[in-house]
Amino acid sequence: MTKQIISTESAPAAIGPYSQAVRTGNLVFLSGQIPLDPATMEVVEGGFEAQAVQVFRNLKAVCEASGGSLDQLVKVNLFLTDLSNFAVVNTLMEQYFSQPYPARAAVGVKELPKGVLFEAEGVLALS
């Protein structure tokens, strides 16, 4: 098995011992993205929706650095500190993704790194 490390300045740099994404074969495994502005490495302000938008922008940047797009994500895992924001995530996913949508899991968690409200990660299938 060969691993190709994916990295882009258009998404936040890793804040620990991990890569933004790893490609093996036609699959790219994207690390969890939190709502950090890649230019400042600070959490974006504006509440849950602003944070979720930044997370999807970060995922998009890593997908594009991998040679793909959000529409090639086959699995997305979402982590929310408050499941009452689930409807907001659904609305944003309709803006960032096209049908057929990826498989998805949404998990309510107690807390996330840097006190953020939302994190997402996924698996990209390249052709």
Side-chain angles (χ1 to χ4, degrees), residues 72-89:
Q72 290 171 286
L73 281 169
V74 293
K75 174 70 165 135
V76 177
N77 294 316
L78 310 174
F79 306 94
L80 299 86
T81 59
D82 183 349
L83 288 175
S84 70
N85 289 314
F86 195 69
V88 174
V89 172

Side-chain angles (χ1 to χ4, degrees), residues 23-73:
R23 179 178 178 169
T24 183
N26 289 337
L27 294 178
V28 180
F29 297 86
L30 286 75
S31 291
Q33 289 292 321
I34 61 174
L36 295 176
D37 178 324
T40 65
M41 291 298 292
E42 297 293 328
V43 175
V44 298
E45 296 181 10
F48 182 84
E49 186 169 351
Q51 287 193 15
V53 164
Q54 187 64 51
V55 166
F56 287 125
R57 286 180 182 158
N58 293 343
L59 283 177
K60 180 179 184 222
V62 177
C63 287
E64 290 173 352
S66 303
S69 70
L70 286 175
D71 286 332
Q72 290 171 286
L73 281 169

Side-chain angles (χ1 to χ4, degrees), residues 103-121:
R104 179 180 82 177
V107 181
V109 296
K110 181 180 175 184
E111 59 186 323
L112 290 164
K114 296 191 173 273
V116 302
L117 306 173
F118 183 62
E119 180 175 356
E121 56 102 30

Side-chain angles (χ1 to χ4, degrees), residues 84-99:
S84 70
N85 289 314
F86 195 69
V88 174
V89 172
N90 282 339
T91 299
L92 289 173
M93 282 193 69
E94 289 174 342
Q95 294 173 21
Y96 281 90
F97 295 84
S98 301
Q99 292 188 27

